[in-house]
Amino acid sequence: MERRINRSATGARTGQAGLPGPLAQDIRWASERRSAIGVACLLFTSLFVLDAGVGRLDVTRGALWAGLAVLLFVILLPPRVSTRPGLLSARGLLVEHSVRTDSLVSVRWSDGVSQRMVLRDTQGGRVEIDPAVLVRNPAMWRRLDTDTRASVQRGTLLCGATALRQLAGRIDRETAHTVFQVSGLE
């Protein structure tokens, strides 16, 4: 039995939904993953050394500290967000959520401590992402913007024009700020 892995021009795997086209991923995800690993290891090491220094370290407490460090890693690990024509995916540690961006029904901001953007499509798919991922990844934003315009033209996007305008304004401000910084006009 032969197993094929299709790759795009960038060398990335294609074919989650059999969609052709370039894959755009979060450029800072790997560094955020390393940070999560580092913080979890630092917590484990400090608790382990502290317990050993006090003389109360045993197998149970060592396992407890290791479990606590793993829990912290799971909490800190951000989802890996990627886009391709017609698809936005957010892959966590155990599950992956995808939404067809060319057939969106709603785009809205979620309430809570951290700002999140919730996208829903006509097939019932739901993805919740941090809008900062789109701000720092222009290729992902361009792909999402193009596909949401297709959703508006098809008439499937019923709710979310305001959220998209707010995000576009934020991205435009960040881009202008970066251009001014680079050119020394700030």
Side-chain angles (χ1 to χ4, degrees), residues 1 11 18 34-35 43 46 56 59 91 95 97 101 107 125 146 156 163-164 174 184:
M1 182 173 178
R34 279 191 302 273
S35 295
L43 176 71
S46 62
R56 297 188 61 192
V59 174
R91 184 174 58 193
V95 295
H97 299 282
T101 53
V107 178
T146 301
T156 60
L164 289 170
E174 291 286 331

Side-chain angles (χ1 to χ4, degrees), residues 13-140:
R13 290 182 182 203
T14 61
Q16 178 172 3
L19 297 172
L23 178 70
Q25 295 181 336
D26 185 5
I27 56 176
R28 291 192 188 162
W29 181 83
S31 65
E32 289 178 356
R33 180 186 60 184
R34 279 191 302 273
S35 295
I37 291 169
V39 169
C41 288
L42 181 66
L43 176 71
F44 173 73
T45 304
S46 62
L47 289 173
F48 196 81
V49 168
L50 183 68
D51 239 12
V54 175
R56 297 188 61 192
L57 183 65
D58 59 3
V59 174
T60 306
R61 290 177 71 93
L64 177 68
W65 301 145
L68 189 61
V70 168
L71 178 65
L72 181 64
F73 170 72
V74 168
I75 291 170
L76 292 179
L77 182 68
R80 187 170 195 170
V81 179
S82 61
T83 59
R84 67 179 65 246
L87 186 70
L88 183 135
S89 300
R91 184 174 58 193
L93 193 60
L94 300 175
V95 295
E96 181 172 5
H97 299 282
S98 297
V99 66
R100 293 292 311 227
T101 53
D102 54 358
S103 61
L104 289 174
V105 173
S106 71
V107 178
R108 64 177 177 84
W109 299 111
S110 69
D111 296 330
V113 175
S114 65
Q115 190 176 39
R116 297 281 186 216
M117 181 174 265
V118 181
L119 298 101
R120 294 181 187 264
D121 67 6
T122 56
Q123 290 96 20
R126 179 183 182 275
V127 171
E128 189 172 326
I129 62 169
D130 183 359
V133 172
L134 298 172
V135 171
R136 67 180 176 235
N137 295 286
M140 291 177 71

